[in-house]
Amino acid sequence: MSIWRVFTSTVAAFFGVQTEDNRQRDFNHNSSPLPFILMGIALAIFMILSLIFIVNQVLS
């Protein structure tokens, strides 16, 4: 499974716009959920750091 496919699926699921077909495609293959979990953690950290940066820029 390509990193781009994991990224796009995770972003779609992260924002709640993942289609049922894509979800089935992702988890019907013989792949581990680990790439999706790691990508979700990385995206959550990136979003939190981005929000901190934006708030700091606005307040300074």
Side-chain angles (χ1 to χ4, degrees):
M1 181 167 297
S2 73
I3 190 76
W4 181 249
R5 191 161 151 192
V6 171
F7 175 76
T8 56
S9 290
T10 306
V11 168
F14 197 73
F15 290 107
V17 295
Q18 178 76 298
T19 64
E20 181 64 21
D21 291 338
N22 287 346
R23 190 186 67 78
Q24 290 293 330
R25 179 200 65 207
D26 292 338
F27 290 105
N28 281 339
H29 290 83
N30 292 332
S31 65
S32 168
L34 186 62
F36 296 100
I37 293 169
L38 294 176
M39 185 65 74
I41 292 169
L43 287 173
I45 291 170
F46 177 74
M47 186 181 87
I48 291 168
L49 292 176
S50 297
L51 289 173
I52 291 170
F53 175 76
I54 291 168
V55 168
N56 283 335
Q57 292 299 314
V58 169
L59 295 178
S60 61

